[in-house]
Amino acid sequence: MKKNILYSYPQMEEKLQELATTYSSAYFNYESLGTTYQNRHIYACYLGPRNANRQFVITASIHGREYINTTVLLEMLEHYLAHYETLYQKAWEDVCVCMIPMANPDGVAISMTTDAKRWKENGQGVDLNRNFPCGFGEATDRHRQNPGNHPGDQKETKILMDFINDLTYPLAVVHYHSRGNLIYYDYQVGGVLKAKICHLANIAHAVTGYRLVENTKDTRPAGGFGDWCVYEKKIPSITIETGFLKTPVPTWQRNGICSRNLFVLRDLLTGIL
């Protein structure tokens, strides 16, 4: 794919089919976790043995206008597949890397193909990252958002929750968002969970150079995916915000963002295994 192009939903499907044809099913598979209101699939990609005891999860594009991160994940996936047998297979022998490159394909399609370029919600007009059952509806700025009528009442939210709930041992969940070149990690937790989250954040900061956002308040009322992972599921989680200026992030930032984030997965797994 041309380096100045960002993946749309159809292009993502084509790329996943191409990768499945190119690489062995012994260490690469993908599947649909379910469909959206507009009948698009939410795909999960599996790098490594599907029956591994531990999982490492990376998600992107839960907000429609943040679709540049689908390209980041697909570029990342292609790189690690190309080098998996020679560099990573032995080191990650009991780990399955699970990527969800486009968690909100309806919203991405709206942002990419209509005049609503800044659309962040799903096809129903709901901000999926406010729809999780973790302080749902308690945010002071709820009037500016649409979190849905009830926690977890959106198809995409249910799909993501079911996916996480089915994991046997999630090592961490990394959420890609845009914008700001920032890393959010300072959840109001303590003990081992806090230490693991800080470790992830410091590694991601060292790789990307993105600023660590410290001294944030309890984010539980936001009803976000990351909040649910940390507060409800007790899974170490960080959010990486790529790009700057505006969202959608301008296409000319694509190559720099991809190169800056290419080795986040390698260094995070090296740091926690």
Side-chain angles (χ1 to χ4, degrees), residues 204-220:
H205 166 68
V207 178
T208 63
Y210 293 165
R211 180 171 66 88
L212 295 172
V213 180
E214 300 175 345
N215 300 317
T216 55
K217 297 178 181 179
D218 188 335
T219 59
R220 224 175 312 234

Side-chain angles (χ1 to χ4, degrees), residues 8 19 49 67 145 150 156 177 197 220 222 231 233 245 263:
S8 65
L19 294 174
Y67 51 80
Q145 312 289 337
H150 306 284
E156 297 92 341
H177 283 258
I197 292 171
R220 224 175 312 234
Y231 292 119
K233 302 302 295 182
L245 293 180
F263 295 113

Side-chain angles (χ1 to χ4, degrees), residues 69 174-186 201 204-205 208-214 216 238-244 257 260-261 264:
N69 295 315
V174 176
H175 310 270
Y176 269 93
H177 283 258
S178 291
R179 62 185 163 91
N181 291 342
L182 305 169
I183 299 170
Y184 288 104
Y185 75 101
D186 198 9
H205 166 68
T208 63
Y210 293 165
R211 180 171 66 88
L212 295 172
V213 180
E214 300 175 345
T216 55
I238 61 172
T239 295
I240 299 176
E241 301 267 357
T242 64
F244 59 97
I257 292 172
R260 242 174 141 171
N261 287 272
V264 167

Side-chain angles (χ1 to χ4, degrees), residues 99-119:
M99 293 187 181
I100 301 177
M102 192 179 289
N104 178 12
D106 292 352
V108 168
I110 291 170
S111 180
M112 290 189 85
T113 65
T114 75
D115 291 336
K117 302 302 182 186
R118 292 183 56 76
W119 188 269

